[in-house]
Amino acid sequence: MLKVESITQIFGGLTALENVSFSVAPHSITGVIGPNGAGKTTLFNIVTGLYTQTEGKVYLGDKNISFFEPEVLARLGLVRTFQNVELFGQMSVLENVMVGLHTKSKSGIFSCAFKLPGQIKEEKRIKEKAYQWLEFTGLADSADVTACNLPFGKGRLLEISRAMAVEPQIILMDEPAAGLNSRETAGLAGLIRKIQELGVTIVLVEHDMELVMDVCESIIVLNLGKKLAHGTPREIQENKAVIAAYLGED
Amino acid sequence: MDNPSQLVQYILTGLSNGAIYALIGFGFAIIHNATGILNFAQGEFVMLGGMFTIFILSFLNIPLPMAIVLAIAFSTLVGILFERLAIRPLKNVKPLSLVIITIGASIFIRGAAMLIWGKDTHALPAFSGNEPLYVYGATIMPQHLWIFGITILIIIANKLFFSYSILGKAMRACAYNAYAASLVGIDVKIMVLLSFVVSAAIGSMAGIIIAPLTMTSYDVGIMLGIKGFCAVIIGGMSSGLGTVLGGLLLGLLESLGAGYISASYKDAFAFIILLLILFIRPEGLFKQKETQRV
Amino acid sequence: MMIKEKRQIFIFLLFALVVLLVPIFLKGSYFLNVLVFIGINTLLAVALNLLLGYAGQISLGQAAFFGLGAYISGILTTRFPVDPWLALVVAAGCASVLAFVIGFPILKLKGHYLAMATLGFGIIVYIIFNETVDWTGGPSGLSGIPNLRLGPFVFDNDRNNYYLVWMMTLGVMLLSINLSQSRIGRALRAINDSEVAARVMGVNARMMKVQIFTVSAFVSAIAGSLYAHTITFISPASFGFNFSVELLTMVIIGGLGSIYGSFLGATILTMLPEFLRVFRDFDIVIYGLMLILITMFMPAGLIGGIEMSIKIIAEKIKGSAENNA
């Protein structure tokens, strides 16, 4: 599904990632873990086209997507969420999800300004679709709330609804549980499984080990920019190098 | 009259204008590096320097050096007021708001200058007379020498300040990482204020030394400001050698363009250079390309 | 949501009705003349608002597109036997093509850099207006520009010009309001809120910005052409940096992203110097002060403030009604 091949990223002399390779199986849930500064978010930024890697390649299926822009990746079915929740704060919750449907609609500036019949129909369709995604994540009640007024936990859910509206093949979540309380985290685990049931491949960076061990089928460990291990949750828990890295860091 | 002495003349004019642009560019860099703000009103400090000096001279019967010191003090005061009243009260603002506020401040200062001093063009007397010197057939006004001398002094003082003084080092620390700086006990607010002080002082000094050559009026700030901006963009937003070279390069191109291509398009050359730099190498000519961290 | 849309249509129709009826009640032609300029300035403010209020991209070069519209129209109709309507279309077309071409490199820039670059562009165009004397007449201006006409109907008096300009302005206002609640409008507002997130959602931010910049230039150039054909004389002074700042002030005062706000801002800034003589000397001081104060204390502009007070009053009335019941 997703294949990362010998990625190296150097920021002005500082090596953030060094020769990292792995692949993610279709329809699986993969966790990327590692101590702070391990390069997890950098890896996400490279895969999603926000950074240009110094070296290495990224494949989506058979397609080489190494230097694709994020907007192109969205059309190919690769989306992400952000560690710090990047909502469209001034827009309503519903409108946020409707932006997620941008690639699923095509009215141009002309037909939008003149409200041509095709545009009105399309607008109705994406509005309904957006509601469906809000129902999927349980946010339908907040549809008309301005996004910046949402409590943090719901903001995370909105970000996931919005990403799902793109109807991705694969979704990358950057610390989806950060800032959530335990009840919300449990709900998140359920949601992640629900997303998997739709046939979507999931990759998540996460610090909440309980969540990672619970939902992930496969785990990649990064440490100081290098891949330390890749295996099932059980294998990772028993891996000496991983334990040393975590204990050594803490 | 195409002859070598004319070329020397163009180069000389270009270099002295370029020195001024470099100083104005310094002002941009100092505030930008301390706050992330590009101070649109930077050119107004330059205007204020010249105008204050002229009007202090006309109201008080004091020698020129004292008038200059007073003028710099007044301009700096404007910088302080600007920071205290319009920048510091802001919390969590969008970058766009900062752009608009500095534009607002810029035209406010310009408008106030117009109300106080009128729309006329004024001349400041040259620091040491108007007896020209001749070099290879080109005329050098003594004022040119003052410009070069003072510019070099400011460049050296600036370098010493930021490299060796505690205050300068603290300001640089804020530029790298304001939060970390505050953790080691640096008062970030003071540093921001200080950046406005230093930058207003350098800007007004630039305005004072150029005023005897080019005359000055309430509206010179915008053109000089943009050209200083152009210099600092070429120099990669540093208050160092890059910006000095940027200023000199801009001054030379402008002066040669005006001399050999068309004098009426003199200002257009500067703006075309600015656009080209922004389009092709917005990180500056003298800076290595770096990957930006989001 | 349907109620909201119906209310919007109602407000627009009411606004249009008032605009169309005003000349019947206004006797003096002087006021109509001022209203013509309010119409043109509203067009320009709406054009800038599309870029600044919707997409969050600043431009200090709007006066240049306004001027290009005016000069292309003026030159075509005075130096060549071109019909004024055709000239208007050509002018708008040329300005849009230019905006599209420079849009790609210029809109790569952000914030202050974008402001500086558009300012630089504006000044270059202004210098060209002044220096290409053979074409533009230079600083002394270009006169004798013919009026627009429809058959026997000539737009040469204030009443006719009023309807000409305001039909155009109402049309552009309606289209802009439509745009805001559409796929494109949402994409633009998304870019304004978080460009990175918008791109991750598949919004081609760069193309979107260039498109709206082009539309903005198109509308500004139409305003310029209308301006040239209604007052029949143009000179570079109307298209300089100060006017770009004035347009910025109109949009900020009215409220970023609000189309009626742009009308309000244009009205205030057009009326003040007309009716307050002292204002003429103080204009840029006041613009500067307004830009600072509104941005600091009233980021949603006057329209935002008005909406807020209406809401508060409505809640008070509702509250006291409930108390009484």
Side-chain angles (χ1 to χ4, degrees):
Chain A
M1 183 77 218
L2 180 74
K3 200 166 80 184
V4 168
E5 224 175 69
S6 329
I7 291 282
T8 297
Q9 176 69 299
I10 299 171
F11 291 117
L14 183 91
T15 307
L17 285 173
E18 195 181 334
N19 202 18
V20 172
S21 305
F22 63 86
S23 61
V24 171
H27 314 312
S28 67
I29 304 180
T30 305
V32 179
I33 62 170
N36 283 329
K40 303 177 300 272
T41 297
T42 305
L43 181 68
F44 264 31
N45 285 340
I46 291 170
V47 172
T48 53
L50 296 180
Y51 289 175
T52 307
Q53 65 270 36
T54 317
E55 264 174 65
K57 294 192 182 107
V58 184
Y59 293 90
L60 183 67
D62 299 329
K63 205 172 189 116
N64 184 346
I65 57 160
S66 303
F67 299 104
F68 282 25
E69 300 283 328
E71 56 266 30
V72 181
L73 293 173
R75 284 180 188 276
L76 294 174
L78 184 148
V79 289
R80 69 171 289 174
T81 65
F82 294 87
Q83 192 178 332
N84 300 322
V85 187
E86 289 275 341
L87 296 176
F88 307 128
Q90 303 303 312
M91 297 163 72
S92 77
V93 165
L94 185 69
E95 283 179 316
N96 264 270
V97 183
M98 287 170 87
V99 175
L101 287 152
H102 188 82
T103 58
K104 302 281 171 239
S105 49
K106 55 181 193 298
S107 298
I109 207 161
F110 188 80
S111 59
C112 286
F114 284 92
K115 279 205 168 175
L116 298 184
Q119 189 263 342
I120 295 177
K121 237 162 87 189
E122 187 181 82
E123 185 75 6
K124 210 175 143 216
R125 179 174 64 78
I126 53 180
K127 195 174 274 179
E128 278 165 12
K129 195 83 199 159
Y131 258 114
Q132 285 171 17
W133 284 115
L134 286 178
E135 274 160 13
F136 178 79
T137 53
L139 273 183
D141 291 344
S142 313
D144 291 328
V145 177
T146 306
C148 62
N149 296 331
L150 277 186
F152 190 78
K154 286 192 173 177
R156 287 242 182 253
L157 288 181
L158 175 55
E159 227 193 350
I160 294 173
S161 331
R162 193 178 66 183
M164 286 308 293
V166 183
E167 292 176 23
Q169 300 182 52
I170 178 165
I171 178 168
L172 285 78
M173 301 186 188
D174 197 349
E175 300 201 21
L180 299 189
N181 61 35
S182 56
R183 201 169 53 86
E184 288 169 331
T185 307
L188 178 69
L191 182 61
I192 290 175
R193 290 212 180 82
K194 231 165 99 183
I195 292 171
Q196 185 191 26
E197 279 163 21
L198 295 177
V200 179
T201 311
I202 298 157
V203 182
L204 46 118
V205 159
E206 191 45 74
H207 277 299
D208 186 326
M209 282 308 143
E210 213 174 312
L211 177 71
V212 172
M213 295 301 165
D214 178 20
V215 300
C216 293
E217 292 148 7
S218 153
I219 294 174
I220 296 157
V221 187
L222 291 181
N223 186 33
L224 302 173
K226 287 182 199 153
K227 189 171 95 173
L228 202 60
H230 187 175
T232 63
R234 177 170 297 248
E235 285 164 0
I236 295 300
Q237 276 167 326
E238 288 164 2
N239 187 309
K240 293 229 166 58
V242 173
I243 296 165
Y246 267 89
L247 293 181
E249 283 288 323
D250 276 328
Chain B
M1 262 221 347
D2 241 1
N3 57 35
S5 75
Q6 204 167 27
L7 178 64
V8 176
Q9 188 72 58
Y10 291 146
I11 291 177
L12 205 68
T13 314
L15 290 179
S16 77
N17 284 339
I20 299 294
Y21 302 156
L23 289 184
I24 301 168
F26 274 23
F28 275 107
I30 291 166
I31 291 185
H32 178 267
N33 291 343
T35 62
I37 298 171
L38 259 177
N39 177 23
F40 228 89
Q42 194 60 36
E44 308 312 324
F45 294 140
V46 183
M47 177 272 291
L48 286 177
M51 295 298 270
F52 272 130
T53 315
I54 288 165
F55 281 86
I56 290 168
L57 278 180
S58 71
F59 281 108
L60 303 173
N61 192 16
I62 54 174
L64 184 68
M66 266 177 74
I68 290 176
V69 172
L70 268 181
I72 294 176
F74 283 141
S75 312
T76 309
L77 189 68
V78 174
I80 292 174
L81 286 176
F82 172 36
E83 197 275 338
R84 289 305 298 261
L85 297 179
I87 303 291
R88 190 176 293 189
L90 301 171
K91 281 176 202 112
N92 303 325
V93 283
K94 290 178 68 171
L96 185 63
S97 309
L98 282 171
V99 177
I100 291 167
I101 285 175
T102 56
I103 293 171
S106 157
I107 60 173
F108 175 74
I109 295 174
R110 190 180 320 145
M114 186 191 81
L115 285 179
I116 299 168
W117 295 315
K119 290 185 179 179
D120 298 336
T121 305
H122 303 273
L124 184 66
F127 295 0
S128 43
N130 286 316
E131 199 64 36
L133 311 158
Y134 295 95
V135 179
Y136 297 109
T139 29
I140 300 189
M141 303 302 283
Q143 192 64 29
H144 281 125
L145 298 179
W146 277 105
I147 290 178
F148 293 131
I150 290 177
T151 303
I152 292 168
L153 275 181
I154 292 179
I155 292 169
I156 294 171
N158 187 63
K159 173 79 187 156
L160 292 177
F161 176 71
F162 282 105
S163 302
Y164 298 107
S165 79
I166 289 286
L167 222 48
K169 281 183 187 168
M171 282 176 74
R172 268 170 57 211
C174 287
Y176 285 121
N177 187 335
Y179 179 65
S182 73
L183 288 182
V184 298
I186 297 172
D187 189 339
V188 177
K189 279 185 182 163
I190 296 281
M191 295 304 137
V192 169
L193 182 64
L194 197 61
S195 74
F196 275 83
V197 168
V198 174
S199 134
I202 294 183
S204 55
M205 189 71 216
I208 294 167
I209 55 181
I210 190 81
L213 281 182
T214 58
M215 315 272 273
T216 190
S217 64
Y218 78 99
D219 61 354
V220 297
I222 174 162
M223 286 292 177
L224 287 170
I226 301 176
K227 288 173 186 172
F229 175 76
C230 190
V232 79
I233 286 291
I234 298 175
M237 211 30 88
S238 79
S239 61
L241 205 57
T243 299
V244 176
L245 292 174
L248 296 179
L249 190 68
L250 178 66
L252 279 177
L253 287 173
E254 189 188 62
S255 146
L256 294 174
Y260 291 112
I261 304 173
S262 159
S264 43
Y265 286 98
K266 173 172 172 269
D267 288 331
F269 291 126
F271 295 119
I272 289 169
I273 295 167
L274 170 69
L275 287 182
L276 286 178
I277 298 277
L278 282 175
F279 290 172
I280 299 162
R281 262 189 89 86
E283 68 277 7
L285 286 184
F286 307 109
K287 211 177 183 185
Q288 273 202 323
K289 213 170 172 166
E290 265 180 44
T291 318
Q292 272 246 307
R293 299 200 67 167
V294 176
Chain C
M1 292 307 267
M2 289 313 284
I3 299 167
K4 200 177 154 197
E5 264 169 40
K6 286 215 174 97
R7 195 176 61 197
Q8 232 165 23
I9 294 167
F10 175 73
I11 292 175
F12 181 77
L13 288 177
L14 195 69
F15 180 77
L17 191 70
V18 172
V19 165
L20 295 179
L21 290 183
V22 157
I24 296 173
F25 301 104
L26 273 185
K27 287 282 173 278
S29 116
Y30 171 69
F31 286 99
L32 272 181
N33 185 274
V34 174
L35 289 172
V36 169
F37 287 113
I38 292 180
I40 289 173
N41 285 339
T42 303
L43 263 183
L44 291 164
V46 168
L48 176 58
N49 207 349
L50 290 176
L51 186 68
L52 183 66
Y54 286 14
Q57 308 300 309
I58 197 165
S59 166
L60 291 179
Q62 291 301 100
F65 293 116
F66 178 50
L68 282 169
Y71 270 107
I72 293 172
S73 235
I75 290 169
L76 284 178
T77 49
T78 53
R79 313 234 186 256
F80 305 94
V82 176
D83 181 77
W85 287 110
L86 181 63
L88 182 144
V89 173
V90 172
C94 289
S96 321
V97 170
L98 179 66
F100 188 76
V101 172
I102 66 163
F104 281 96
I106 227 168
L107 288 158
K108 237 165 90 181
L109 305 166
K110 293 189 165 70
H112 283 92
Y113 290 81
L114 181 61
M116 283 288 188
T118 49
L119 169 57
F121 165 74
I123 294 182
I124 291 172
V125 173
Y126 176 74
I127 292 172
I128 293 173
F129 290 156
N130 268 301
E131 299 301 335
T132 50
V133 180
D134 291 345
W135 291 101
T136 62
S140 46
L142 185 65
S143 56
I145 302 168
N147 291 114
L148 287 158
R149 55 168 70 228
L150 271 180
F153 197 68
V154 186
F155 295 98
D156 60 352
N157 62 52
D158 288 318
R159 185 167 304 254
N160 292 356
N161 281 333
Y162 176 89
Y163 283 111
L164 171 71
V165 166
W166 273 101
M167 288 311 280
M168 199 71 90
T169 307
L170 285 175
V172 167
M173 286 175 80
L174 180 63
L175 297 183
S176 305
I177 292 168
N178 285 347
L179 196 63
S180 141
Q181 259 106 43
S182 71
R183 168 179 185 266
I184 302 289
R186 278 190 301 271
L188 292 170
R189 286 184 284 145
I191 293 170
N192 192 353
D193 276 348
S194 167
E195 185 168 339
V196 173
R199 292 179 67 197
V200 169
M201 293 298 113
V203 175
N204 187 339
R206 193 152 172 218
M207 197 58 203
M208 210 54 105
K209 288 193 253 178
V210 171
Q211 269 189 26
I212 203 69
F213 186 61
T214 308
V215 169
S216 175
F218 180 82
V219 174
S220 304
I222 289 181
S225 183
L226 287 177
Y227 175 79
H229 292 300
T230 47
I231 69 164
T232 71
F233 168 79
I234 50 177
S235 74
S238 317
F239 312 111
F241 170 65
N242 280 347
F243 190 62
S244 285
V245 170
E246 206 176 316
L247 290 174
L248 179 71
T249 316
M250 290 178 195
V251 173
I252 302 288
I253 288 181
L256 282 170
S258 162
I259 298 301
Y260 296 108
S262 292
F263 160 72
L264 194 63
T267 306
I268 294 172
L269 258 64
T270 317
M271 300 263 254
L272 279 183
E274 289 293 336
F275 298 116
L276 276 174
R277 282 205 150 269
V278 278
F279 185 83
R280 282 179 207 184
D281 286 330
F282 286 87
D283 57 353
I284 62 171
V285 182
I286 294 177
Y287 296 161
L289 210 56
M290 280 177 170
L291 282 177
I292 298 175
L293 293 179
I294 297 259
T295 309
M296 285 175 82
F297 302 112
M298 221 180 178
L302 288 181
I303 282 284
I306 291 171
E307 275 172 6
M308 187 90 88
S309 6
I310 289 177
K311 224 182 239 169
I312 292 170
I313 292 169
E315 262 162 34
K316 276 226 173 103
I317 292 172
K318 213 169 134 195
S320 63
E322 275 164 13
N323 282 344
N324 292 339

